[in-house]
Structures are given as structure tokens and as C-alpha cells.
Amino acid sequence: MEHQNIPIDIQTTKLLDWLVDRRHCNLKWQNLVLQIREKISVAMQDMPENEEIRELLSGSYLHYFHCLKIVQILKETEASTKNIFGRYSSQRMKDWQEIVSLYVKENTYLAEVASLFVRNVTYEIPSLKKQIAKCQQLQQDLSRKEEEIQLGTAEMKERYYASCKQYGITGENVRQELLALVKELPSLLTQIGAAASVLAPAVHFYQACVQFVCESPTEQVVPMLRHIQEHGNSTVYEWRTGIRPDIIQRPKEEEMKEPTEEEQIDWGDFGVESPADSELSVSPGAQPHGINWAISMEPDTAEASGDAIDWGDMEDVAPVEIMLLETGTQVPAGVACGKDALTLLENPETRNQFVDELLELELFLSHRIVEMSEEADIVSVSQFQLAPPILQGQTKEKVVAMVAAVQDLIGQLTCMRMQHLFMILASPRSVSFPYLFGILDSMPHLFGSDLCP
């Protein structure tokens, strides 16, 4: 009997042929399998409620070993139908036992299982290997993308911190913090107006140079800058009239509120018929109560009876003259309202004029530095011999310091932070629309609540 246990090497693709050639299986095993499949289809129509059987039947293909498993389960579920001779009276058990016996007859189960085995080795396993390799490659690609996204996240965090630092906010609630900065804007502008006093030597130097070159013109240079140096960031009314207003009526500030659920648009219940709609429905045979669009040109009875308005004799009425008054003529003296109530640095027109004068002063001083850096020629020396002491006593170092002070003041007014604050001041609703504010609002939601320090 030992020779029966010696293993035999059989090529996988020739396993089924070997079983048929050695007469272990019938040559027409496929016809027998078709008969068994028909009996399995019939037996599956009557099965007990069992979780294991439900899992077995959920498979795509039932073979011999599945049938053996079902018989073992039926021995438990159909135990009450077993008689004293060890046989079962249950039709379910009889059907599945018959299926198992047909499989065993002529070793049909060996041929079917061998066919499944060859198909799995030849097709299914290589396909699964390709899918595994594909999934592994996809996993590597996703891991690489994850690393790239993490690097991009770190970069976005740095940009977020830089943006918050640029605006002087913590980033916890960008909208409210920016609106709070706008409320502090008047004090910042007051400080900038006070800082303009340090430019007095540069203005005197510019004025003296213009008077010397142009032979003492009567017009003063940079009038807005001079006014702010003397009176600070005053109102437009004081700049325009030269009189400090007694009453300042500033424009009403627009408050920006967060939308609530009550303020959302109620679109109603589409598809639900309301009582009013049911009243408008027309019953069969009834006349529809449509809208009468007929317009009668005849006089109404009420008008004919004397209740109508008596317009009198329009021909005898004298023409009325309409007087057009210019804006601001009705405002009492000493009262600043509208744009006149804004400060010079709050009003866009006067603020732009102030920046233009600073740029003008910077250009003059920069050009003067270039002239002082060049070698002095006879013409320039002879020309400045008659110049006033303020021009002759200036050195290049002093003029460079003047330029630095002017550039510092220009930078305070024209930096990105101040530009956005001025835009929000003009319309608080703009805090919701710029691209930068949208990014800042979304960053805490992207990176979590622990983003901001």
C-alpha cells in the first residue's frame, strides 16, 4: 500500500486530461455536471433560514464541497425529521443528499474541481497578481501625493502665518479681526498726520529751492502736506473752508453682520399644494375664474357722479418754475456732513492728493541727491553763490535722511494692509469678497482649529 502514497507530479494544465485518460472520471462529465446544476437550482428554492446557508448561497458558483457543507448544516436544522433507521424524511435533506451522491458517482466532483483549479491557476491567479501590482503602484503614487500635499500644507501654513502677521491679526476670526482693525484706522491716520510734522525741514527746503529757481513765486508747494503739518489730520471741511467745523455729522457706518438662519431665503415647499392653490383649481365643467384683462376707456360711474377728483382748469394754471440747488447749499455754516465730515486721510480724493505731494517731495529730494553727488561745475557753483542759506547749508547726508522720512511716510499709507483697510472702510461688505480674505477665512477649516498659535 505504500506505493499508493507516492506523490505524482502532474502538469497543472493537464490535470483534467490526466483524470479522464486514467478513467478516474467519465469522458462526458460535463453532461453529468449540467444535470447536477439543474438539481441544485431546484433545491435552492426551498432552503431553511440559516446564516451559514445564506452565505454559501450568496456565492457565484456552488461546487461539491459547498454541497457537503450544506448537508452538514441540514443535519442540524432537519434533525427532527430523522427516524430510528437514521434516514431523514425531509425533502430538503433528500434533495441535497441526492446531489452529493451524483457528484460522487463516477468521480464527477473530481472533474469539476479539477476544471475550476485549472481555470484559477491559468486565469484568476494571474489576474489577481496584476490587480495586486496595480494596487501597490497606486498606493505608492498616493503615498507620494500625500507627501507632496503635506509639504504644500506646510507651505500654506507659512503663508497663512505671514499673511496674518502682515495684517497684524491672530487669524482666529479673520473677518471680525479685520473689521476691528478698521475701527482702529482713525487713530492710525491721526498718528500718520502727526508724523508728517517731521517733514517740515524737507518742505522748507523744497519751497526755498522753488522760490530761488523760479524767482520767488507766490504759490506754495505741497499745500495739503503743509495743512496736515499745521492742523493734523483735520476734516475736509476745515481744509476746504479754512474754518474748524462746530458740528461734525459723519456718514452712517454700515455694519457687517453674519447671516443667520432666519435671514435665509425661504423657497417654500415645492410640490405641496396649499389651500390657496386648491381654491384656484378648476373643477370639471366649471368656468375658470380667470383674470379679466379687459380695459375700458369709458369714464367710471364714480367719476361721472362727482366723486372724481376735480383737476380744475389746467389751461389757466401758470407754469411752475423749478429751482435747482447745488449740493451743500442747504447745510448750515459750521456743520460738516457727508464727505466734508471725513478726515483728509479718510477721504480717498484728499488722501490721494496727500500721497501725490509726498511723491513729489520724494522726487525732488532724490533728484537733489543726484545733483549733489555729481562733481560741482563752475555753472552750479556760481549759480548757488546767491542762493539762500537753507540751500547752501544742506549736505547730502541731511537730504538722504529727508528722503528716508518721506519714503517711510509713503510706505505707511500705501502698504498692502492699509490699502485693504481703506477698501473695507469704504464698504464693509468688501471684507467678504477679496480673494485674500476668502483664503484666510478657509485656512482654519482646512488645517483644523489648532492652526493659529
Side-chain angles (χ1 to χ4, degrees):
M1 297 296 294
E2 294 181 359
H3 67 278
Q4 296 182 357
N5 298 327
I6 297 175
I8 301 175
D9 293 336
I10 303 173
Q11 190 175 356
T12 305
T13 56
K14 297 181 179 181
L15 176 59
L16 182 59
D17 296 336
W18 185 88
L19 292 172
V20 175
D21 293 341
R22 298 302 187 276
R23 304 296 178 92
H24 293 292
C25 300
N26 193 335
L27 181 62
K28 298 181 180 180
W29 64 271
Q30 294 180 348
N31 296 333
L32 299 176
V33 170
L34 290 177
Q35 298 176 6
I36 295 173
R37 303 307 303 176
E38 292 178 359
K39 291 185 176 293
I40 290 176
S41 299
V42 174
M44 288 175 59
Q45 303 299 325
D46 182 20
M47 297 297 294
E49 291 293 334
N50 186 277
E51 185 67 25
E52 296 182 8
I53 292 179
R54 189 180 297 110
E55 293 179 0
L56 290 174
L57 296 180
S58 62
S60 59
Y61 189 86
L62 290 179
H63 51 71
Y64 170 72
F65 296 101
H66 288 154
C67 295
L68 289 179
K69 183 66 175 176
I70 292 175
V71 171
Q72 294 296 328
I73 297 173
L74 291 177
K75 287 181 180 180
E76 299 177 0
T77 59
E78 306 296 327
S80 60
T81 63
K82 187 176 181 181
N83 53 30
I84 59 175
F85 299 104
R87 297 183 178 276
Y88 293 87
S89 60
S90 173
Q91 186 62 35
R92 298 173 182 170
M93 179 62 79
K94 291 179 180 180
D95 293 341
W96 288 101
Q97 285 179 343
E98 181 183 2
I99 292 171
V100 172
S101 63
L102 290 175
Y103 264 125
V104 175
K105 183 179 179 181
E106 298 183 3
N107 294 327
T108 306
Y109 74 96
L110 288 178
E112 184 185 29
V113 172
S115 175
L116 294 175
F117 179 74
V118 172
R119 186 178 65 181
N120 290 336
V121 172
T122 306
Y123 302 106
E124 299 296 337
I125 293 178
S127 176
L128 292 175
K129 287 184 177 179
K130 291 182 180 179
Q131 291 183 6
I132 291 174
K134 192 182 211 179
C135 292
Q136 290 177 348
Q137 182 65 32
L138 181 60
Q139 184 180 9
Q140 293 177 359
D141 295 341
L142 293 177
S143 299
R144 184 172 62 255
K145 288 184 179 180
E146 182 182 3
E147 295 177 358
E148 295 176 356
I149 291 175
Q150 289 178 352
L151 294 176
T153 300
E155 182 181 356
M156 291 297 292
K157 285 183 179 180
E158 293 179 359
R159 291 176 56 187
Y160 176 75
Y161 291 137
S163 299
C164 291
K165 184 177 180 181
Q166 178 183 2
Y167 286 91
I169 58 179
T170 61
E172 295 178 358
N173 191 335
V174 178
R175 185 189 305 274
Q176 298 300 329
E177 291 177 5
L178 289 176
L179 293 177
L181 287 180
V182 174
K183 295 180 180 179
E184 300 176 359
L185 187 60
S187 61
L188 296 176
L189 297 179
T190 301
Q191 296 176 3
I192 293 176
S197 60
V198 300
L199 304 180
V203 173
H204 295 328
F205 177 51
Y206 183 28
Q207 184 69 41
C209 186
V210 171
Q211 291 179 353
F212 174 71
V213 174
C214 300
E215 297 180 356
S216 301
T218 56
E219 183 180 359
Q220 291 186 344
V221 296
V222 290
M224 177 75 69
L225 179 57
R226 288 175 175 271
H227 177 84
I228 292 180
Q229 287 177 349
E230 297 177 1
H231 304 90
N233 187 25
S234 63
T235 60
V236 177
Y237 179 87
E238 184 176 353
W239 155 255
R240 186 172 56 83
T241 61
I243 302 173
R244 178 169 295 183
D246 300 329
I247 301 175
I248 299 177
Q249 298 178 356
R250 294 181 60 86
K252 185 178 180 181
E253 297 182 358
E254 181 182 2
E255 296 183 359
M256 187 67 182
K257 298 181 180 179
E258 297 289 340
T260 59
E261 296 182 357
E262 291 76 7
E263 297 176 354
Q264 300 296 331
I265 299 176
D266 184 10
W267 299 101
D269 297 329
F270 290 103
V272 180
E273 185 178 6
S274 62
D277 297 333
S278 61
E279 293 178 0
L280 295 176
S281 60
V282 181
S283 59
Q287 295 295 329
H289 300 283
I291 301 175
N292 185 11
W293 296 101
I295 301 176
S296 176
M297 301 301 296
E298 299 180 359
D300 194 3
T301 56
E303 295 179 358
S305 62
D307 294 337
I309 300 176
D310 185 8
W311 297 99
D313 192 358
M314 301 298 296
E315 296 180 357
D316 299 338
V317 178
V320 179
E321 296 182 0
I322 301 176
M323 301 294 294
L324 298 178
L325 300 178
E326 295 183 0
T327 304
T329 56
Q330 299 297 329
V331 179
V335 177
C337 61
K339 291 186 177 181
D340 287 348
L342 299 176
T343 62
L344 293 175
L345 298 182
E346 287 178 343
N347 192 329
E349 298 178 358
T350 54
R351 181 174 64 249
N352 292 336
Q353 181 181 349
F354 179 70
V355 174
D356 292 342
E357 292 182 358
L358 290 177
L359 293 174
E360 178 185 349
L361 182 60
E362 178 193 11
L363 182 61
F364 163 74
L365 296 174
S366 300
H367 184 70
R368 187 64 188 138
I369 291 174
V370 174
E371 292 178 348
M372 298 175 70
S373 300
E374 297 177 353
E375 295 182 358
D377 53 3
I378 300 176
V379 176
S380 61
V381 171
S382 60
Q383 182 181 7
F384 277 91
Q385 283 181 352
L386 302 177
I390 189 174
L391 295 180
Q392 296 184 7
Q394 295 294 338
T395 61
K396 181 180 177 181
E397 290 74 15
K398 293 182 179 179
V399 179
V400 170
M402 294 178 185
V403 173
V406 174
Q407 292 177 347
D408 179 67
L409 197 59
I410 294 175
Q412 294 181 30
L413 274 176
T414 59
C415 64
M416 187 63 65
R417 175 191 177 190
M418 294 298 292
Q419 291 180 13
H420 285 296
L421 291 180
F422 286 137
M423 181 176 60
I424 300 172
L425 179 64
S427 176
R429 292 185 178 273
S430 62
V431 74
S432 303
F433 298 111
Y435 175 71
L436 177 61
F437 298 152
I439 292 180
L440 293 177
D441 274 332
S442 62
M443 293 289 284
H445 302 289
L446 293 178
F447 301 111
S449 57
D450 57 345
L451 174 64
C452 300

